[in-house]
Amino acid sequence: HTHTHTRLSKMAVSSVKEHYDGYLASFYEWSMIGDFQAAVEREATWMKEAGVGATESLSMAGPMPCAIDLGCGSGLHSFALASLCFDVRAIDVSEKLLGQLQSRVEQDSMDHCITCTLGDICDEAAWNGQPPNQTKYTVVACLGDTLAHLPSSDALARVLGLAVKHLIDKGKVVISYRDQSVALTGTARFVPVRMTDTQHHTCVLDYDEPTPGLIQVTDVLHTRSDDGTWNMKASSYSKLRITTQELSSLFEKNGFTLQYRDVIRGLCREVWQLL
């Protein structure tokens, strides 16, 4: 066993956009998704079971029902929604991840349309697209870690308000998030995300963020060089601390009722219907 040395490069706390475009986007799919097509099928399966899919008869009867994928990243849930017979508007603030989605769309031969929009999900202009068309959506999807990437609980309330405005009657919001009711302490704050022989991705959570209601997240990537040397890179950003209780109360206040809920490896997945 030979000793290796570690070279360290560390950035200061960055915005979500800087963190993704400058750092995480380069290994996001390797770490968070893995086999893209298998992941698309897996996501489409649970959404269909949760009552999110458009029916073929509905899509054949008239214009294709529309879904909006907020914080779409490289397109995992956009493709899952498209496979469930939706035309999809995909919005993200990360140019790099949206570029990965756009090149996928160009290579794909799907019947359903995915339109990519670079923008902030709190900005109504991004929901309307160019030219603005005031689309009403059957489904608003906010999956992965998107809700926690919002800067404040006010921003969360704004996004939900936009969902109410842009949903059809009895439209649905499908979300996922981690319930952060209980702060992790000690070594529980170190979460291994993915490890192979040549790369380790670990996420470190700090609940002592100076701003109440936020968690500081540091993504640490160790990469092994051909000569056996391990190099470490790290980047930090702040994430919104979300709790099931606060989120449920916000949805109920906005006229939604819970249709589906499960928890998979700490990730809460819910479908709320607008009454």
Side-chain angles (χ1 to χ4, degrees), residues 68 88-91 113-120 123-135 137 166:
I68 188 167
V88 182
R89 175 173 300 286
I91 304 176
C113 168
I114 296 176
T115 306
C116 298
T117 302
L118 181 67
D120 184 336
D123 178 5
E124 188 168 14
W127 291 58
N128 290 331
Q130 287 299 329
N133 57 7
Q134 305 295 325
T135 300
Y137 297 102
H166 287 269

Side-chain angles (χ1 to χ4, degrees), residues 60-234:
M60 284 162 67
M64 201 71 76
C66 294
I68 188 167
D69 184 9
L70 305 176
C72 60
S74 59
L76 170 60
H77 297 103
S78 300
F79 274 89
L81 287 161
S83 77
L84 295 172
C85 303
F86 289 105
D87 278 345
V88 182
R89 175 173 300 286
I91 304 176
D92 206 283
V93 76
S94 165
E95 288 180 59
K96 284 194 177 171
L97 291 177
L98 204 65
Q100 292 172 21
L101 168 54
Q102 184 65 55
S103 59
R104 270 208 175 92
V105 169
E106 286 162 8
Q107 292 160 22
D108 200 271
S109 56
M110 281 184 313
D111 298 337
H112 310 297
C113 168
I114 296 176
T115 306
C116 298
T117 302
L118 181 67
D120 184 336
I121 65 172
C122 294
D123 178 5
E124 188 168 14
W127 291 58
N128 290 331
Q130 287 299 329
N133 57 7
Q134 305 295 325
T135 300
K136 284 281 192 179
Y137 297 102
T138 303
V139 168
V140 171
C142 202
L143 293 158
D145 230 3
T146 299
L147 288 176
H149 289 158
L150 290 165
S152 64
S153 48
D154 286 350
L156 179 56
R158 170 158 174 74
V159 167
L160 203 50
L162 287 170
V164 170
K165 182 176 175 181
H166 287 269
L167 274 171
I168 63 167
D169 288 343
K170 297 200 165 80
K172 293 175 180 178
V173 176
V174 52
I175 59 170
S176 64
Y177 64 95
R178 293 183 185 278
D179 179 17
Q180 303 284 3
S181 306
V182 180
L184 299 177
T185 57
T187 54
R189 298 183 304 110
F190 294 79
V191 182
V193 185
R194 186 169 182 206
M195 295 189 178
T196 63
D197 291 344
T198 54
Q199 279 200 143
H200 295 179
H201 175 202
T202 307
C203 192
V204 185
L205 305 173
D206 184 358
Y207 291 77
D208 296 328
E209 238 289 350
T211 312
L214 297 180
I215 302 166
Q216 186 172 302
V217 179
T218 304
D219 282 300
V220 183
L221 183 71
H222 285 89
T223 306
R224 189 174 187 266
S225 306
D226 292 341
D227 65 2
T229 307
W230 283 91
N231 301 308
M232 178 181 131
K233 288 184 179 176

Side-chain angles (χ1 to χ4, degrees), residues 36-55:
F36 190 84
Q37 195 49 47
V40 166
E41 287 165 15
R42 193 168 60 239
E43 293 301 302
T45 299
W46 86 257
M47 283 198 267
K48 194 171 186 178
E49 286 169 1
V52 173
T55 60

